[in-house]
Amino acid sequence: MKYVCFGYLDAEQWGRLSPEEQQAMIDRCFTYDETLKRNGNWVYGDGLQGPDSTVSLQYQKGKVAVTDGPYAETKEILGGLLIIEALDSNHAVQLISNHPGLRMGRWEIRPALDLTPMIQESERRRGIVR
């Protein structure tokens, strides 16, 4: 089963590290990612640019409202995401518990939802034939 794992960075803690300590942490994270790949648990992963490059969209009063920056003020920054393949939620927790990035902030793990049946039903209602 696929799990989407969101990694949050404690910006204050990260900022207290020296550049050498930051680079060492990044190297440990990428080394663990290689382990996930070797073991067949890696599906996809990507880092995110900082909150200063964020654009938030919300539907308000019949229009789309666009706001620069993240929606909520927080000391945590959503730093990236991993999609992993795990046997069950306990296995997903075990895999992320070993990720060095956990030392720099919290992680959120959610089972991925297979939208295939919903898409197929919507296509049927809309008369799309594949």
Side-chain angles (χ1 to χ4, degrees):
M1 179 167 195
K2 287 184 180 65
Y3 290 84
V4 181
C5 309
F6 301 95
Y8 293 86
L9 178 68
D10 181 324
E12 291 176 14
Q13 181 183 4
W14 182 255
R16 288 191 298 267
L17 297 178
S18 69
E20 294 79 15
E21 291 169 317
Q22 290 177 352
Q23 291 170 359
M25 175 56 74
I26 289 168
D27 292 347
R28 285 192 296 273
C29 289
F30 287 145
T31 297
Y32 187 69
D33 291 349
E34 290 299 324
T35 300
L36 291 172
K37 290 173 186 175
R38 268 193 315 277
N39 293 339
N41 300 111
W42 178 274
V43 176
Y44 178 82
D46 236 332
L48 299 173
Q49 292 187 21
D52 54 332
S53 62
T54 300
V55 176
S56 297
L57 305 178
Q58 187 174 4
Y59 195 74
Q60 296 177 329
K61 300 177 185 175
K63 296 181 181 178
V64 176
V66 180
T67 307
D68 289 339
Y71 181 72
E73 293 293 324
T74 178
K75 71 174 191 163
E76 289 182 319
I77 298 169
L78 179 57
L81 64 91
L82 292 178
I83 300 176
I84 60 172
E85 190 73 44
L87 300 173
D88 55 30
S89 62
N90 289 331
H91 187 216
V93 167
Q94 176 189 2
L95 291 171
I96 296 303
S97 292
N98 292 319
H99 200 291
L102 187 60
R103 292 174 182 83
M104 296 309 303
R106 75 182 170 89
W107 282 72
E108 180 180 335
I109 302 171
R110 294 189 194 188
L113 179 62
D114 180 3
L115 294 177
T116 304
M118 189 184 303
I119 292 167
Q120 290 171 342
E121 181 61 24
S122 176
E123 288 174 344
R124 186 194 59 75
R125 288 192 305 268
R126 294 178 288 137
I128 296 174
V129 179
R130 297 216 184 255

